[in-house]
Amino acid sequence: MRDPVLYPLFAEIASLRGIGANYARLIEHLCGKRVLDVLYTLPHDVETRINITHPQVRYLEQRVTFPVTIIQHEPPKRQRQPYRIITQDARQFRVELLYFNVKGDWLEKLLPVGEQRLVSGQLLQQPYFSLVHPEYIAKMDQADSIPSFAPV
């Protein structure tokens, strides 16, 4: 016999507000059918972010956070091409922020030309340093909003 206070822990995932049938199936596949199963699912890894002043080859494929200045927006000319945001790092080198399937209006408001922003994501080089769909973007005075590590 359970205490009635514990009943919500033994409820099915789909009973939670905001969890639909499709999302509940995904969670059930990963954790189990009950809310309690989700609570007992522990992270299996930790992602760390390195704060750097500018991108370097030694940081390729790692999650990094660094400041950039927005130079130009380049909307895609054809479908399936990325929306490119051309930026400069602290050394005046080109860094591209690439987005697929997004509206330009939203990006122009988030990343206005001439402004500085902190960007965070996995650093790639193709042929310029680039971040594909940066995980975090923050104003320079909001550096605390970008976590240095996160459970996976």
Side-chain angles (χ1 to χ4, degrees):
M1 182 115 186
R2 282 189 199 118
D3 188 356
V5 175
L6 299 176
Y7 287 167
L9 294 175
F10 292 92
E12 291 198 10
I13 295 292
S15 68
L16 295 174
R17 185 178 45 194
I19 304 291
N22 290 338
Y23 198 53
R25 275 193 300 261
L26 291 172
I27 294 173
E28 287 174 12
H29 179 70
L30 292 172
C31 307
K33 292 185 177 190
R34 301 175 301 168
V35 173
L36 189 64
D37 297 331
V38 174
L39 293 175
Y40 280 122
T41 302
L42 298 174
H44 63 83
D45 198 5
V46 174
E47 290 179 348
T48 57
R49 292 181 200 294
I50 305 167
N51 290 322
I52 58 175
T53 56
H54 56 273
Q56 297 175 20
V57 174
R58 67 181 173 168
Y59 296 120
L60 286 178
E61 305 292 326
Q62 296 183 33
R63 285 179 164 50
V64 295
T65 302
F66 59 94
V68 294
T69 303
I70 313 305
I71 303 300
Q72 173 184 348
H73 287 256
E74 291 182 2
K77 292 178 178 62
R78 284 178 266 134
Q79 217 173 16
R80 296 187 178 261
Q81 285 186 327
Y83 189 108
R84 294 178 189 274
I85 300 172
I86 311 303
T87 67
Q88 287 181 343
D89 65 0
R91 300 175 302 164
Q92 305 298 315
F93 286 117
R94 178 177 171 146
V95 177
E96 292 184 349
L97 307 179
L98 304 174
Y99 288 90
F100 292 89
N101 300 322
V102 294
K103 303 272 189 222
D105 300 346
W106 173 74
L107 288 174
E108 289 173 3
K109 291 176 186 172
L110 180 67
L111 299 160
V113 174
E115 297 273 327
Q116 279 197 321
R117 295 287 189 263
L118 284 171
V119 293
S120 183
Q122 187 173 14
L123 186 64
L124 303 172
Q125 189 172 16
Q126 47 190 3
Y128 304 102
F129 286 118
S130 61
L131 297 175
V132 179
H133 286 274
E135 296 163 357
Y136 293 94
I137 297 174
K139 294 183 178 179
M140 297 301 288
D141 58 350
Q142 297 172 338
D144 298 343
S145 66
I146 300 176
S148 58
F149 68 92
V152 177

